[in-house]
Amino acid sequence: MEVTSTAANLAISKLTFGEGVLYAVLGMLVVFFALVLIMLIIKILIKATDKKKAEPAPAAAAPAPAEVPAEPVKRDDPAPGTSGDIKLYTTDPKEAAMIMAIVADALGKPLNELRFKSIREIKE
Amino acid sequence: MENIIATLGRLGQTSGFYGLFADWRQIVMIVIACVLLYLGLVKKFEPLLLVGIAFGMLLTNLPFGNMYNPELWDLYIANGQQVASLSPELQAFIAEHGLIFADGIVQMSFTELIHAGGLLDIMYIGVKIGLYPSLIFMGVGTMTDFGPLLANPKSLLLGAAAQLGIFVAFLLAIVIGFPANVAASIGIIGGADGPTAIWLTSKLAPDYLAPIAIAAYSYMALIPMIQPPVMKALTTKEMRETKMEQLRPVSKTQKILFPIIVTIFTCLLLPSVAPLLGCLMLGNLFKESGVTDRLSDTAQNAMMNIVTIFLATSVGATARYDRFLNWKTLAIIVLGLLAFEFATCGGLLLGRLMYRITKGKINPLIGSAGVSAVPMAARVSQKVGQEANPSNFLLMHAMGPNVAGVIGSAVAAGFLLAVFGG
């Protein structure tokens, strides 16, 4: 490693090509290692939280008192799966997206709980 | 009468117009600043940053304004050294500005710097200590939805692969003859993340801050032009047409736990990345927790805007004519472009591999979004995908690698700082 100096006498190094390759490979490995680690953490997190969600309520639990109101359904729990492709007739995708958003808002339901079969402009 | 003429002569010599013609490079820099202002104001190239950078560049190159003095920062680095051991230019600066150091030893703390420096020197302190980039990251965190990443954790691999550009540009800079610390700062342009580039460069190679920041932000603005040719060259039409399945739903609990857990593990693995990643995740926690809406709102609006003004103007100010106009700036601009292209290639090549492994379930185009530049790169994936198949909606799928790229480039910056930071 050849050592040079700046105007402020800071010691900085010039690398050979071989050393550069080594640092570059090491850097990529560190990035992959860190991100793979995060990926594994996410997978564990998903498994842990999904498992907790799927666990049924204990059977031996005492019945809730009648005067306690039932817990409202959580609105941000999305419906599973997709409803497939929508057929568009004389309607461009942007308009279709707007129409679906307006319908979902008017019905007060999340978009993925609704199924749109087709959108067609009616000309009278 | 003679007195009046002599007074007018002295007045003329202290005028900026007199100083302007002392060195032609000042005029060139003023022209460059005006061109950048045009690109920001008229062509809308990252205007929030480019306008500030260009104006800072303009201010610093107007003679006798003394708004930014890079020599003071050289003295700050040379703290504790003998004045006699400094370069002749620095010694001349000390004499010219009447700086007195006891026992001939340089003593330049932030306090002395505030007294001796100009307005932009004071603003630059926030860059020097890494405050502005970290605060920008906090604001970015409040605006980032990690949902697509949590829905498809494999996106992280694409975000990692797209960091290839950083290390290829680093290697090319070494080959050209740049020292390791400067090569590392040039390489980080390939991370396509302005705050990360500024953060690392201000620590490793502050003299190169202006060209690196300008290259990083300019290429980020040019991503819709830079990426598509490479994307089309590295994928077949059949690949680009691939439709991906809808993402799985992500619960609120997962979104809240994610920033906390990632901060713990990543900062334990690479402590040097803590300022950037910690702030990013704190901002995200403000957003996702649902109980700190006011903080989230402040971080993504008022704070972000204030910090952007300080950051852009002070970074632009570092582009003084005598330090900016040289062949190295040109080399940095070219290497920056190569860094972006290789970053795109890295993401696409892994995308292709994943396309093969999953038997066509992953569209390789989402790999190019791994270069960070949120959300521009994801939008480009969407656009190119939709050109091949009009019913293709890749945006949310591409957001996964896109935010993974932000984490990936922060990790790469942390690695480079740990290795070359001294």
Side-chain angles (χ1 to χ4, degrees), chain A residues 8-10 12-15 17 20-21 23 27-28 33-36 39 41-42 45-46 49-50 78 81-82 85, chain B residues 77 81 150 153 156-157 160 167 170-171 174-175 177 179-181 243 246 248-249 254 257-258 261 265 269 415 419:
Chain A
N9 290 336
L10 256 188
I12 49 171
S13 55
K14 276 194 174 179
L15 301 180
F17 180 72
V21 171
Y23 280 117
M28 274 308 277
F33 180 72
L35 269 64
V36 167
M39 187 174 86
I41 292 166
I42 293 175
L45 175 72
I46 290 167
T49 48
D50 283 354
T82 173
D85 289 352
Chain B
I77 294 168
Q81 290 181 29
L150 288 162
L156 279 152
L157 297 175
F167 296 103
F170 163 76
L171 208 54
I174 293 286
V175 171
N181 57 332
K243 287 177 80 172
Q246 194 179 6
R248 59 175 284 281
Q254 289 164 357
L257 288 175
F258 175 74
I261 297 174
F265 278 90
L269 178 72
F415 167 79
V419 174

Side-chain angles (χ1 to χ4, degrees), chain B residues 175-356:
Chain B
V175 171
I176 288 176
F178 281 104
N181 57 332
V182 182
S185 302
I186 294 170
I188 203 68
I189 299 173
D193 199 313
T196 307
I198 290 169
W199 179 76
L200 186 70
T201 309
S202 66
K203 291 182 184 303
L204 290 185
D207 281 350
Y208 295 83
L209 189 57
I212 288 173
I214 289 167
Y217 280 112
S218 304
Y219 291 136
M220 276 164 68
L222 292 172
I223 269 189
M225 282 179 259
I226 292 171
Q227 283 196 317
V230 183
M231 292 163 82
K232 286 174 186 168
L234 290 183
T235 53
T236 62
K237 191 164 188 298
E238 189 193 352
M239 288 175 179
R240 295 196 293 275
E241 283 173 349
T242 308
K243 287 177 80 172
M244 291 179 68
E245 284 175 18
Q246 194 179 6
L247 292 169
R248 59 175 284 281
V250 176
S251 73
K252 192 82 185 161
T253 313
Q254 289 164 357
K255 284 188 175 182
I256 292 173
L257 288 175
F258 175 74
I260 301 169
I261 297 174
V262 167
T263 303
I264 294 170
F265 278 90
T266 315
C267 295
L268 283 176
L269 178 72
L270 209 58
S272 55
V273 83
L276 283 186
L277 207 72
C279 284
L280 179 77
M281 293 302 165
L282 174 61
N284 191 250
L285 189 61
F286 284 157
K287 171 185 181 275
E288 299 297 351
S289 68
V291 294
T292 51
D293 289 347
R294 281 166 53 194
L295 302 184
S296 172
D297 178 56
T298 304
Q300 67 182 274
N301 294 303
M303 188 192 79
M304 187 87 159
N305 292 342
I306 291 168
V307 177
T308 301
I309 294 168
F310 287 169
L311 178 76
T313 318
S314 48
V315 165
T318 61
R320 210 178 66 176
Y321 67 97
D322 52 342
R323 301 192 176 216
F324 189 84
L325 285 180
N326 51 52
W327 70 269
K328 289 175 183 170
T329 301
L330 207 61
I332 289 168
I333 301 290
V334 174
L335 287 171
L337 178 63
L338 292 174
F340 265 66
E341 298 293 23
F342 276 104
T344 308
C345 288
L348 284 169
L349 290 175
L350 190 67
R352 275 186 74 126
L353 184 66
M354 288 168 84
Y355 172 84
R356 296 268 176 233

Side-chain angles (χ1 to χ4, degrees), chain B residues 12-303:
Chain B
Q13 282 176 6
T14 56
S15 147
F17 284 107
Y18 178 81
L20 195 61
F21 296 102
D23 196 323
W24 60 271
R25 292 176 298 176
Q26 293 175 111
I27 300 169
V28 173
M29 285 305 294
I30 290 170
V31 171
I32 291 175
C34 290
V35 170
L36 290 176
L37 277 172
Y38 170 79
L39 291 176
L41 295 169
V42 181
K43 296 288 178 186
K44 308 273 189 297
F45 282 6
E46 296 275 342
L48 295 179
L49 278 145
L50 205 53
V51 171
I53 290 176
F55 212 84
M57 191 185 278
L58 183 68
L59 287 173
T60 202
N61 286 291
L62 292 172
F64 306 143
N66 289 330
M67 292 190 76
Y68 176 76
N69 301 279
E71 293 84 2
L72 285 177
W73 292 98
D74 287 343
L75 290 173
Y76 175 76
I77 294 168
N79 223 357
Q81 290 181 29
Q82 290 283 343
V83 173
S85 69
L86 300 175
S87 65
E89 293 83 20
L90 273 183
Q91 292 190 37
F93 179 85
I94 291 169
E96 193 183 323
H97 286 75
L99 298 173
I100 299 162
F101 297 119
D103 304 326
I105 294 171
V106 178
Q107 286 172 334
M108 183 59 70
S109 67
F110 283 146
T111 313
E112 278 100 27
L113 220 144
I114 287 169
H115 285 298
L119 175 69
L120 295 175
D121 284 307
I122 298 168
M123 280 161 68
Y124 184 71
I125 292 173
V127 177
K128 188 72 193 167
I129 60 175
L131 177 68
Y132 301 152
S134 301
L135 291 180
I136 293 267
F137 251 59
M138 193 185 290
V140 170
T142 59
M143 291 188 272
T144 303
D145 179 11
F146 285 110
L149 183 68
L150 288 162
N152 183 14
K154 289 188 194 81
S155 305
L156 279 152
L157 297 175
L158 295 167
Q163 306 315 313
L164 179 72
I166 293 178
F167 296 103
V168 171
F170 163 76
L171 208 54
L172 291 174
I174 293 286
V175 171
I176 288 176
F178 281 104
N181 57 332
V182 182
S185 302
I186 294 170
I188 203 68
I189 299 173
D193 199 313
T196 307
I198 290 169
W199 179 76
L200 186 70
T201 309
S202 66
K203 291 182 184 303
L204 290 185
D207 281 350
Y208 295 83
L209 189 57
I212 288 173
I214 289 167
Y217 280 112
S218 304
Y219 291 136
M220 276 164 68
L222 292 172
I223 269 189
M225 282 179 259
I226 292 171
Q227 283 196 317
V230 183
M231 292 163 82
K232 286 174 186 168
L234 290 183
T235 53
T236 62
K237 191 164 188 298
E238 189 193 352
M239 288 175 179
R240 295 196 293 275
E241 283 173 349
T242 308
K243 287 177 80 172
M244 291 179 68
E245 284 175 18
Q246 194 179 6
L247 292 169
R248 59 175 284 281
V250 176
S251 73
K252 192 82 185 161
T253 313
Q254 289 164 357
K255 284 188 175 182
I256 292 173
L257 288 175
F258 175 74
I260 301 169
I261 297 174
V262 167
T263 303
I264 294 170
F265 278 90
T266 315
C267 295
L268 283 176
L269 178 72
L270 209 58
S272 55
V273 83
L276 283 186
L277 207 72
C279 284
L280 179 77
M281 293 302 165
L282 174 61
N284 191 250
L285 189 61
F286 284 157
K287 171 185 181 275
E288 299 297 351
S289 68
V291 294
T292 51
D293 289 347
R294 281 166 53 194
L295 302 184
S296 172
D297 178 56
T298 304
Q300 67 182 274
N301 294 303
M303 188 192 79

